[in-house]
Amino acid sequence: MKPIVILGSGGYAQEVLWIIDDINEGKRSWDFLGFVDPGAPKKKGQTLYDRPILGGFEDATSLPRDLSFVCGIGSPSSRMKESERAEAMGWAPVALVHPSVIAARHVEVGLGTIIGAGCILAPYAQIGRHCALNLGVTVGHNSRVSDFCVLAPGARISGNAVLEQGVFIGTNAIVYLKRTVGAGASLGAGSFLITNLAPGRTAIGIPATAFGQATGAGICTDQEGKEPKKEA
């Protein structure tokens, strides 16, 4: 079995361990050593989901040289930061796919990506590196999910859609056919995106629209990159 750790020690991290445990039920593949949480090194010595929290990166110097890892952090920006630090230490990212996942032929899954129970990946779906697809996510045919994207439980990505790097799609949210969600953008839980979504923006609702006046509030664009017309 190959030694592996999970980055993070929150709720999603224990769901990632659930995947490892279920993979090992079918074939003993992973020797789980514990959770490494760079954001909460003081948790060292505690347990999560009946397994040890090892501390931060500074506490992990005695781990095996051939160590594999996955990231159990739900924020796209934090996933990127900590995964890149782990790779710089020489740790090897691996993809974890729950045994219940249904994947068509010609599906691509990048290293470091986690695909949870009940997900469905349609023909020619492309999932990048260090993505997190939580419970019951579907990705339609010929769609592309770029690196460090996080899709919350029940998210639906229709065919020929594109999620650029670091996108967050909330629980039960839907991205319509052939739409693009720009890098770093977020779609709120339960929303239905029928336009494109500009990079770094946030939208919610049915149909999904900008919310609030705060910095980073969303602007939806149509397929030509123009703002939708306002009703008189």
Side-chain angles (χ1 to χ4, degrees):
M1 296 195 299
K2 297 180 180 179
I4 190 171
V5 296
I6 295 171
L7 303 185
S9 60
Y12 182 55
Q14 62 191 359
E15 293 192 13
V16 177
L17 178 54
W18 168 28
I19 297 173
I20 292 175
D21 287 344
D22 282 5
I23 290 172
N24 282 342
E25 282 291 324
K27 180 182 179 181
R28 300 294 293 175
S29 302
W30 300 108
D31 179 15
F32 179 68
L33 303 182
F35 301 92
V36 175
D37 194 339
K42 292 183 179 180
K43 287 186 177 181
K44 180 179 180 179
Q46 299 180 25
T47 59
L48 177 70
Y49 203 50
D50 306 319
R51 308 295 180 87
I53 299 175
L54 304 176
F57 282 128
E58 64 278 4
D59 299 305
T61 55
S62 62
L63 293 176
R65 295 178 62 86
D66 60 341
L67 186 66
S68 297
F69 81 95
V70 287
C71 186
I73 299 172
S75 160
S77 59
S78 295
R79 288 183 70 79
M80 180 184 297
K81 175 184 175 183
E82 306 304 354
S83 294
E84 289 179 345
R85 288 179 66 189
E87 289 194 59
M89 295 174 61
W91 299 1
V94 294
L96 291 180
V97 179
H98 191 273
S100 66
V101 170
I102 299 173
R105 289 185 290 117
H106 305 297
V107 167
E108 298 178 13
V109 177
L111 292 175
T113 285
I114 301 162
I115 303 180
C119 291
I120 300 175
L121 308 178
Y124 294 99
Q126 298 180 13
I127 315 298
R129 289 168 51 89
H130 295 293
C131 294
L133 278 60
N134 212 306
L135 306 174
V137 169
T138 62
V139 179
H141 64 83
N142 301 93
S143 287
R144 175 166 57 86
V145 178
S146 301
D147 300 347
F148 302 105
C149 287
V150 175
L151 281 62
R156 301 285 186 265
I157 311 302
S158 300
N160 289 291
V162 174
L163 308 187
E164 296 181 346
Q165 181 172 295
V167 162
F168 179 84
I169 305 295
T171 300
N172 291 329
I174 300 171
V175 177
Y176 191 58
L177 187 74
K178 297 182 180 180
R179 300 312 189 246
T180 296
V181 181
S186 297
L187 181 62
S191 301
F192 187 7
L193 184 70
I194 60 174
T195 66
N196 293 335
L197 182 57
R201 304 296 187 173
T202 301
I204 60 172
I206 303 175
T209 57
F211 75 94
Q213 300 299 320
T215 301
I219 296 177
C220 289
T221 58
D222 63 21
Q223 288 182 280
E224 286 71 42
K226 302 174 183 178
E227 292 187 23
K229 295 181 179 179
K230 296 181 179 180
E231 296 182 1

